[in-house]
Amino acid sequence: MSNTEPLYVLRGLSKQYSRGKETIPIFSGLDMEIAHGEFIAIMGPSGSGKTTLLNQLGGIDSPTTGEVTFDGKRIDNLGQGALAKWRSDNVGFIFQFYNLMPTLTAAQNVELPLLLSPVKGSERKKRVATALEIVGIGDRAKHYPRQLSGGQQQRVAIARAIVADPKVLLCDEPTGDLDRTSADEVLEMLQLLNTKMGKTIIMVTHDPAAAKYAKTELFLDKGKFIKRGGKK
Amino acid sequence: MFKQISALTKLNIRSIPQRWGMSLATVFSVALVVLVLMAFLAMANGFRATLSGSGSTEVAVMLRKGAQAELNSGVSLAQLRLIREAPGIARNADGNSIVSGELYVIVDGLKRTTMTDVNLPLRGVEPDALVLRQGLKITHGHMFSSGSNELIVGEAILREFAGFDLGSEVRLGTATWKVVGVFSTGGTVFESEIWADAGSIQSLYQRGSGYQSVRAKLDGADGLKALQDWAENEPTLDLDIITEKEFFSSQASGITNIILYMGWPLAIIMAFGALAGAWNTMYASVEARTREIATLRAIGFAGFAAFVSTLVEALLLAFVGGLVGSMIAWLVFNGISASTLGGNFTQVVFAFEVTGEAVQSGIVMALIIGLLGGIIPSIRAARVPLLSVHSG
């Protein structure tokens, strides 16, 4: 698949949840294309469907109707096992609360995605060290999450997200739990990963200041994109 | 997949300290179940070992046909005289057959530990009884004199029951007896007996000239067959003839089974309690790590790996419980001396035996508790919704 083709193609994407007899639509008939190397910030009020959309893109939730195509292959109709394999091969997740394993060191946390690949032990160690160096906390490799600040923990999470060299990074409010300084450091890091390493980044955020780091800003409200902005 | 399972299992085990309280409760409850089970198994094993170890294949025991124990058997003097001439019985240097007509009487005793009344066996024996018990040694004092009110007592009697010290006088039935010796048979059931001259017992307990059992030294490997064949064709004899080893094995199985029939159900009932504990702990473990598990699955770890690793954690906790229970059982019970009612309604003194087989049973039971207690939480772990990655 050539890089001129979009990385993601969403066609007629709908998602609704059932609560008893009540059906709650999140979005419906959403069409969207995301190019390789994009850095998109998706903004919108609570309940607008930002995170739900991110879940569809990451294959951790399935759409009610519609198609999600990634790099030319549909992923919305994959089984659990195939979807897990697809995620490990293609997606790096960054969450608001870092989602690190508290009983593992920074290096061990970063190593987790590599355990799903055929990479050998010594090579894994090298890749982990490189990932930690990239995010600037190589000296914290043996620290446990509780020994790190919020910003440092999020850097570990970023290292974990990039260590297996995925095509896309999906970030759910990555600075939502950080002070401004740490948030800016993390956002600069993401920007660097996008510009220098060519990672496609899709970030959900409430924070307009965070969205400014993206190339494209999308505003989602009541299940529809209502405004586009950003540097592009 | 193995790498995934191994990584998640290590994660689970490392997170146990976060749930020390519940994990310890599981270990403790499983240990308790195993401890109770082991106590019964040790008791049954000890009792079985004492009785089974008591019999010799070179000695025949003769009881009235159909009698299950010496207590309800009877052998007349005429029958005993006939047996002395039977084939298949070994003879001593003087050419006399090695035979002992014996009586078995229940007398009162006092258990040292509880100071409660118990039944003790008073055995009347003839001189050949000493030859018929392998390894019998008078360890203190001397053998009783024929026709006297003298007793010798087994070492277990001296240890467990009051009033039988060497040189003391003891009132049994209507007579006063003097303890003149203590004997050892290497831990067999005979050490739980009091011995006196058969003639004295016949006289003091109004048994006439009769006996209750006869023991005879067999003449080689074919001795038993020769004796049984001869007895079959002897119309005045109506006896069951088996080796002493068989006799004690059958005696052991009844009581041993009773102990086991009590022990296993009790342990199983307690196991349900431990099962609930294990279930709770593993549920709590999965609940506490819902976001972690969801994150790992979002990264690409398989649900099966989450299932196996959770199950391994449950099995590990149960295994530790099993080991702890076994170790406590070994420290507390192994070798302790106790007595219980034997097949003749008298006390048999035996030592608890925590065997490797019992430890194995305990560990297997612990693992079953771990498996049953862990399986549903493990399924839950495998099915943690991926959307839980966003939970705060």
Side-chain angles (χ1 to χ4, degrees):
Chain A
M1 180 63 59
S2 140
N3 272 9
T4 56
E5 294 293 321
L7 182 65
Y8 275 108
V9 178
L10 277 56
R11 291 283 174 254
L13 202 67
S14 300
K15 183 67 188 179
Q16 58 193 40
Y17 291 110
S18 299
R19 189 188 295 156
K21 288 179 182 171
E22 193 186 358
T23 301
I24 304 163
I26 307 299
F27 46 74
S28 69
L30 211 61
D31 293 316
M32 183 184 190
E33 290 185 1
I34 299 171
H36 285 270
E38 258 288 13
F39 185 173
I40 297 176
I42 300 173
M43 298 184 68
S46 292
S48 60
K50 308 183 296 289
T51 299
T52 305
L53 177 61
L54 200 73
N55 292 339
Q56 315 298 313
L57 296 174
I60 58 177
D61 195 11
S62 54
T64 309
T65 58
E67 295 178 8
V68 180
T69 305
F70 179 87
D71 226 2
K73 287 178 192 157
R74 275 185 68 181
I75 59 164
D76 58 276
N77 55 3
L78 294 178
Q80 286 297 316
L83 211 47
K85 174 84 172 73
W86 172 80
R87 286 194 302 267
S88 72
D89 289 344
N90 297 290
V91 186
F93 289 100
I94 298 165
F95 302 103
Q96 179 178 0
F97 299 108
Y98 331 126
N99 291 26
L100 299 177
M101 307 298 132
T103 54
L104 300 184
T105 62
Q108 287 165 336
N109 266 288
V110 174
E111 191 183 10
L112 284 170
L114 294 178
L115 297 174
L116 302 166
S117 69
V119 177
K120 295 240 181 311
S122 56
E123 178 61 21
R124 284 206 303 269
K125 297 273 178 289
K126 274 189 213 162
R127 289 201 195 178
V128 168
T130 306
L132 286 169
E133 285 302 329
I134 289 172
V135 299
I137 50 166
D139 58 334
R140 297 282 191 273
K142 290 183 178 168
H143 287 61
Y144 288 91
R146 64 177 179 279
Q147 298 168 319
L148 301 172
S149 68
Q152 288 171 328
Q153 288 189 56
Q154 195 59 298
R155 282 165 184 254
V156 175
I158 294 170
R160 182 180 66 189
I162 63 171
V163 74
D165 196 23
K167 289 181 177 157
V168 63
L169 297 182
L170 300 178
C171 315
D172 182 31
E173 302 279 7
T175 57
D177 202 41
L178 301 177
D179 60 63
R180 190 70 260 163
T181 311
S182 301
D184 286 339
E185 285 171 5
V186 164
L187 290 162
E188 279 163 20
M189 181 76 54
L190 292 177
Q191 207 170 40
L192 215 65
L193 290 170
N194 175 246
T195 54
K196 302 288 182 200
M197 295 178 71
K199 297 288 172 205
T200 304
I201 299 178
I202 301 163
M203 174 175 73
V204 161
T205 182
H206 271 106
D207 179 10
K212 296 286 177 222
Y213 284 84
K215 291 176 182 166
T216 306
E217 292 174 47
L218 298 179
F219 292 84
L220 192 62
D221 193 16
K222 296 185 179 122
K224 298 221 178 291
F225 288 115
I226 56 168
K227 182 177 146 192
R228 276 178 175 263
K231 299 180 182 104
K232 273 181 141 180
Chain B
M1 182 56 76
F2 181 74
K3 258 198 299 187
Q4 288 190 37
I5 292 171
S6 160
L8 293 196
T9 303
K10 278 183 203 160
L11 251 177
N12 286 3
I13 292 166
R14 281 178 183 184
S15 68
I16 286 175
Q18 293 172 355
R19 303 178 301 283
W20 263 130
M22 293 203 80
S23 300
L24 274 179
T26 298
V27 169
F28 177 75
S29 56
V30 173
L32 198 64
V33 172
V34 171
L35 185 64
V36 169
L37 177 66
M38 300 276 280
F40 279 98
L41 291 180
M43 195 190 297
N45 286 334
F47 187 81
R48 188 192 291 134
T50 299
L51 262 67
S52 301
S54 299
S56 165
T57 53
E58 294 169 9
V59 173
V61 174
M62 288 164 255
L63 301 178
R64 187 180 62 208
K65 201 169 259 310
Q68 298 297 310
E70 289 176 273
L71 203 62
N72 53 15
S73 170
V75 180
S76 68
L77 177 61
Q79 287 175 318
L80 178 61
R81 281 180 177 152
L82 207 56
I83 289 166
R84 287 190 192 282
E85 304 307 320
I89 297 176
R91 294 178 179 271
N92 61 20
D94 298 331
N96 297 320
S97 55
I98 303 169
V99 171
S100 170
E102 300 187 353
L103 294 106
Y104 196 91
V105 179
I106 294 175
V107 296
D108 293 333
L110 199 60
K111 200 164 182 167
R112 281 186 197 274
T113 50
T114 56
M115 295 311 277
T116 49
D117 290 331
V118 291
N119 292 339
L120 297 177
L122 171 60
R123 183 180 291 277
V125 297
E126 294 185 330
D128 277 345
L130 299 180
V131 184
L132 287 162
R133 269 73 176 193
Q134 283 176 336
L136 187 143
K137 279 189 301 195
I138 304 285
T139 54
H140 298 93
H142 56 83
M143 184 61 180
F144 57 75
S145 310
S146 183
S148 70
N149 282 19
E150 290 179 347
L151 300 169
I152 59 172
V153 297
E155 285 187 339
I157 290 281
L158 189 64
R159 193 172 61 240
E160 292 287 322
F161 305 102
F164 293 97
D165 300 315
L166 187 63
S168 61
E169 292 196 334
V170 56
R171 185 93 182 154
L172 300 177
T174 55
T176 301
W177 300 76
K178 184 168 187 186
V179 181
V180 297
V182 178
F183 67 91
S184 160
T185 55
T188 69
V189 71
F190 300 116
E191 284 186 10
S192 303
E193 293 181 348
I194 304 160
W195 282 13
D197 176 53
S200 300
I201 303 273
Q202 284 171 334
S203 162
L204 290 167
Y205 284 86
Q206 284 90 46
R207 297 297 171 100
S209 59
Y211 298 84
Q212 280 163 288
S213 64
V214 177
R215 276 177 165 76
K217 176 92 173 163
L218 291 167
D219 188 15
D222 300 328
L224 182 70
K225 178 83 171 59
L227 183 59
Q228 285 170 330
D229 289 347
W230 169 81
E232 277 293 310
N233 297 312
E234 189 56 61
T236 57
L237 290 179
D238 190 20
L239 302 174
D240 284 326
I241 305 174
I242 54 174
T243 66
E244 197 179 43
K245 186 140 196 94
E246 281 179 83
F247 174 70
F248 281 118
S249 291
S250 67
Q251 295 270 300
S253 65
I255 299 295
T256 304
N257 286 342
I258 290 171
I259 295 170
L260 293 178
Y261 291 154
M262 283 167 65
W264 273 105
L266 185 63
I268 287 169
I269 289 166
M270 288 182 70
F272 279 104
L275 198 70
W279 193 315
N280 255 340
T281 303
M282 294 318 300
Y283 252 119
S285 166
V286 172
E287 280 301 313
R289 290 180 296 118
T290 295
R291 195 175 71 178
E292 286 176 35
I293 295 168
T295 303
L296 289 163
R297 293 203 45 219
I299 288 173
F301 281 81
F304 182 68
F307 170 83
V308 175
S309 61
T310 307
L311 198 56
V312 168
E313 181 187 343
L315 288 171
L316 184 77
L317 289 177
F319 180 70
V320 172
L323 276 187
V324 170
S326 301
M327 200 173 290
I328 295 173
W330 188 77
L331 288 172
V332 174
F333 298 125
N334 198 38
I336 64 164
S337 182
S339 66
T340 191
L341 215 53
N344 277 312
F345 303 106
T346 56
Q347 294 289 307
V348 173
V349 179
F350 63 97
F352 278 54
E353 265 188 36
V354 178
T355 60
E357 204 180 327
V359 170
Q360 216 173 358
S361 299
I363 299 287
V364 167
M365 179 143 211
L367 290 177
I368 289 171
I369 293 171
L371 182 73
L372 296 180
I375 199 148
I376 303 291
S378 300
I379 291 171
R380 185 168 165 72
R383 292 183 174 174
V384 161
L386 288 175
L387 295 178
S388 304
V389 289
H390 301 297
S391 57

